[in-house]
PDB file of all heavy atoms in Angstrom:
ATOM      1  N   ALA A 323     112.752 112.418  84.311  1.00 97.00           N
ATOM      2  CA  ALA A 323     111.652 112.590  83.327  1.00 97.00           C
ATOM      3  C   ALA A 323     110.676 111.418  83.342  1.00 97.00           C
ATOM      4  O   ALA A 323     109.491 111.539  83.300  1.00 97.00           O
ATOM      5  CB  ALA A 323     112.211 112.826  81.922  1.00 97.00           C
ATOM      6  N   GLN A 324     111.275 110.219  83.439  1.00 97.00           N
ATOM      7  CA  GLN A 324     110.431 109.039  83.475  1.00 97.00           C
ATOM      8  C   GLN A 324     109.595 108.994  84.760  1.00 97.00           C
ATOM      9  O   GLN A 324     108.481 108.454  84.756  1.00 97.00           O
ATOM     10  CB  GLN A 324     111.314 107.783  83.416  1.00 97.00           C
ATOM     11  CG  GLN A 324     111.736 107.400  82.016  1.00 97.00           C
ATOM     12  CD  GLN A 324     110.590 106.879  81.142  1.00 97.00           C
ATOM     13  OE1 GLN A 324     109.911 105.944  81.506  1.00 97.00           O
ATOM     14  NE2 GLN A 324     110.408 107.545  80.005  1.00 97.00           N
ATOM     15  N   ALA A 325     110.127 109.539  85.829  1.00 96.00           N
ATOM     16  CA  ALA A 325     109.418 109.484  87.090  1.00 96.00           C
ATOM     17  C   ALA A 325     108.438 110.608  87.262  1.00 96.00           C
ATOM     18  O   ALA A 325     107.651 110.677  88.213  1.00 96.00           O
ATOM     19  CB  ALA A 325     110.447 109.556  88.250  1.00 96.00           C
ATOM     20  N   ASN A 326     108.422 111.556  86.316  1.00 93.00           N
ATOM     21  CA  ASN A 326     107.559 112.740  86.382  1.00 93.00           C
ATOM     22  C   ASN A 326     106.082 112.308  86.263  1.00 93.00           C
ATOM     23  O   ASN A 326     105.671 111.787  85.265  1.00 93.00           O
ATOM     24  CB  ASN A 326     107.921 113.698  85.291  1.00 93.00           C
ATOM     25  CG  ASN A 326     107.184 115.031  85.408  1.00 93.00           C
ATOM     26  OD1 ASN A 326     106.108 115.085  86.030  1.00 93.00           O
ATOM     27  ND2 ASN A 326     107.757 116.055  84.822  1.00 93.00           N
ATOM     28  N   PRO A 327     105.283 112.597  87.329  1.00 93.00           N
ATOM     29  CA  PRO A 327     103.874 112.173  87.299  1.00 93.00           C
ATOM     30  C   PRO A 327     102.984 113.006  86.429  1.00 93.00           C
ATOM     31  O   PRO A 327     101.805 112.729  86.250  1.00 93.00           O
ATOM     32  CB  PRO A 327     103.453 112.283  88.752  1.00 93.00           C
ATOM     33  CG  PRO A 327     104.334 113.334  89.301  1.00 93.00           C
ATOM     34  CD  PRO A 327     105.624 113.329  88.549  1.00 93.00           C
ATOM     35  N   THR A 328     103.549 114.066  85.809  1.00 94.00           N
ATOM     36  CA  THR A 328     102.754 114.930  84.941  1.00 94.00           C
ATOM     37  C   THR A 328     102.225 114.178  83.732  1.00 94.00           C
ATOM     38  O   THR A 328     101.206 114.555  83.148  1.00 94.00           O
ATOM     39  CB  THR A 328     103.621 116.135  84.460  1.00 94.00           C
ATOM     40  OG1 THR A 328     104.354 116.617  85.567  1.00 94.00           O
ATOM     41  CG2 THR A 328     102.731 117.208  83.884  1.00 94.00           C
ATOM     42  N   TYR A 329     102.967 113.137  83.311  1.00 93.00           N
ATOM     43  CA  TYR A 329     102.601 112.407  82.113  1.00 93.00           C
ATOM     44  C   TYR A 329     102.235 110.970  82.404  1.00 93.00           C
ATOM     45  O   TYR A 329     103.107 110.079  82.419  1.00 93.00           O
ATOM     46  CB  TYR A 329     103.744 112.412  81.091  1.00 93.00           C
ATOM     47  CG  TYR A 329     104.236 113.821  80.832  1.00 93.00           C
ATOM     48  CD1 TYR A 329     105.421 114.278  81.393  1.00 93.00           C
ATOM     49  CD2 TYR A 329     103.499 114.682  79.980  1.00 93.00           C
ATOM     50  CE1 TYR A 329     105.860 115.575  81.174  1.00 93.00           C
ATOM     51  CE2 TYR A 329     103.946 115.963  79.768  1.00 93.00           C
ATOM     52  CZ  TYR A 329     105.135 116.391  80.352  1.00 93.00           C
ATOM     53  OH  TYR A 329     105.575 117.671  80.090  1.00 93.00           O
ATOM     54  N   PRO A 330     100.947 110.730  82.705  1.00 92.00           N
ATOM     55  CA  PRO A 330     100.543 109.344  83.011  1.00 92.00           C
ATOM     56  C   PRO A 330     100.665 108.439  81.765  1.00 92.00           C
ATOM     57  O   PRO A 330     100.980 107.261  81.908  1.00 92.00           O
ATOM     58  CB  PRO A 330      99.125 109.505  83.475  1.00 92.00           C
ATOM     59  CG  PRO A 330      98.647 110.835  83.082  1.00 92.00           C
ATOM     60  CD  PRO A 330      99.852 111.673  82.763  1.00 92.00           C
ATOM     61  N   ASP A 331     100.467 109.033  80.588  1.00 95.00           N
ATOM     62  CA  ASP A 331     100.507 108.163  79.366  1.00 95.00           C
ATOM     63  C   ASP A 331     102.010 107.845  79.059  1.00 95.00           C
ATOM     64  O   ASP A 331     102.820 108.775  78.979  1.00 95.00           O
ATOM     65  CB  ASP A 331      99.910 108.954  78.188  1.00 95.00           C
ATOM     66  CG  ASP A 331      99.992 108.137  76.902  1.00 95.00           C
ATOM     67  OD1 ASP A 331      99.523 106.996  76.924  1.00 95.00           O
ATOM     68  OD2 ASP A 331     100.592 108.662  75.909  1.00 95.00           O
ATOM     69  N   PRO A 332     102.292 106.596  78.931  1.00 96.00           N
ATOM     70  CA  PRO A 332     103.693 106.225  78.751  1.00 96.00           C
ATOM     71  C   PRO A 332     104.351 106.753  77.469  1.00 96.00           C
ATOM     72  O   PRO A 332     105.513 107.036  77.468  1.00 96.00           O
ATOM     73  CB  PRO A 332     103.667 104.677  78.746  1.00 96.00           C
ATOM     74  CG  PRO A 332     102.249 104.312  78.504  1.00 96.00           C
ATOM     75  CD  PRO A 332     101.381 105.402  79.024  1.00 96.00           C
ATOM     76  N   ILE A 333     103.556 106.964  76.414  1.00 97.00           N
ATOM     77  CA  ILE A 333     104.122 107.547  75.208  1.00 97.00           C
ATOM     78  C   ILE A 333     104.474 109.016  75.408  1.00 97.00           C
ATOM     79  O   ILE A 333     105.563 109.500  75.017  1.00 97.00           O
ATOM     80  CB  ILE A 333     103.153 107.367  74.020  1.00 97.00           C
ATOM     81  CG1 ILE A 333     103.116 105.897  73.571  1.00 97.00           C
ATOM     82  CG2 ILE A 333     103.537 108.230  72.811  1.00 97.00           C
ATOM     83  CD1 ILE A 333     104.351 105.398  72.906  1.00 97.00           C
ATOM     84  N   GLU A 334     103.590 109.704  76.138  1.00 97.00           N
ATOM     85  CA  GLU A 334     103.916 111.106  76.492  1.00 97.00           C
ATOM     86  C   GLU A 334     105.164 111.185  77.348  1.00 97.00           C
ATOM     87  O   GLU A 334     105.952 112.087  77.236  1.00 97.00           O
ATOM     88  CB  GLU A 334     102.743 111.771  77.153  1.00 97.00           C
ATOM     89  CG  GLU A 334     101.527 111.936  76.255  1.00 97.00           C
ATOM     90  CD  GLU A 334     101.833 112.763  75.005  1.00 97.00           C
ATOM     91  OE1 GLU A 334     102.570 113.759  75.058  1.00 97.00           O
ATOM     92  OE2 GLU A 334     101.397 112.306  73.901  1.00 97.00           O
ATOM     93  N   ARG A 335     105.294 110.155  78.202  1.00 97.00           N
ATOM     94  CA  ARG A 335     106.427 110.133  79.123  1.00 97.00           C
ATOM     95  C   ARG A 335     107.708 109.910  78.292  1.00 97.00           C
ATOM     96  O   ARG A 335     108.782 110.456  78.573  1.00 97.00           O
ATOM     97  CB  ARG A 335     106.269 109.091  80.142  1.00 97.00           C
ATOM     98  CG  ARG A 335     106.757 109.465  81.510  1.00 97.00           C
ATOM     99  CD  ARG A 335     106.002 108.749  82.625  1.00 97.00           C
ATOM    100  NE  ARG A 335     106.073 107.316  82.446  1.00 97.00           N
ATOM    101  CZ  ARG A 335     105.023 106.526  82.762  1.00 97.00           C
ATOM    102  NH1 ARG A 335     103.897 106.999  83.229  1.00 97.00           N
ATOM    103  NH2 ARG A 335     105.160 105.221  82.560  1.00 97.00           N
ATOM    104  N   LEU A 336     107.618 109.088  77.285  1.00 97.00           N
ATOM    105  CA  LEU A 336     108.773 108.861  76.378  1.00 97.00           C
ATOM    106  C   LEU A 336     109.159 110.165  75.670  1.00 97.00           C
ATOM    107  O   LEU A 336     110.344 110.523  75.616  1.00 97.00           O
ATOM    108  CB  LEU A 336     108.445 107.775  75.324  1.00 97.00           C
ATOM    109  CG  LEU A 336     109.483 107.559  74.234  1.00 97.00           C
ATOM    110  CD1 LEU A 336     110.777 107.026  74.819  1.00 97.00           C
ATOM    111  CD2 LEU A 336     108.974 106.636  73.154  1.00 97.00           C
TER     112      LEU A 336
END
Side-chain angles (χ1 to χ4, degrees):
Chain A
Q324 279 289 305
N326 187 338
T328 316
Y329 307 103
D331 179 54
I333 288 291
E334 293 304 316
R335 219 152 54 217
L336 173 65

